[in-house]
Amino acid sequence: MNEHDGGAETGRIQISAAALRNLSVQDFARLGLEELAYVRPVVLNGARAFSIHAADGTPIGAAPSSQLAAAAILQHEMEPVAVH
C-alpha cells in the first residue's frame, strides 16, 4: 500500500482506510500502543517535569525537559507525540 491507494502507514505497519473503519474499539485503542508515546507537562514532586505515556495512557516514565522525554522515547524505538 502507498499514499495512492488510501493506505495509512503507522511505523512499520500499513493499514488501509477500510481496515481502520472495521477495527473494534479495543483494537483501535491498541493501535500504535508499542510504537507511539506521548509527552505532557506535569508537576512532579513540586517541580515541572514531562511525563511519558504509552499510546493507551499508561505512564511509562518522566523527564525534566520535553527534549529529554522525546530522546528517551526515540531511544526505545518509539515515536514521540505531543499532547496539547
Side-chain angles (χ1 to χ4, degrees):
M1 275 179 241
N2 60 40
E3 61 189 64
H4 302 293
D5 63 11
E9 187 170 340
T10 57
R12 296 163 288 235
I13 301 171
Q14 292 183 356
I15 301 172
S16 72
L20 284 173
R21 283 190 287 276
N22 293 318
L23 286 177
S24 70
V25 172
Q26 294 83 10
D27 288 339
F28 188 74
R30 285 187 226 112
L31 187 63
L33 187 60
E34 295 179 11
E35 298 169 353
L36 300 174
Y38 67 88
V39 175
R40 66 184 190 110
V42 295
V43 175
L44 189 62
N45 298 325
R48 184 178 169 152
F50 292 84
S51 62
I52 303 168
H53 298 263
D56 68 350
T58 303
I60 56 176
S65 73
S66 61
Q67 294 84 3
L68 286 175
I73 292 168
L74 291 169
Q75 185 176 6
H76 287 90
E77 299 180 359
M78 299 175 81
E79 188 66 32
V81 180
V83 174
H84 301 282

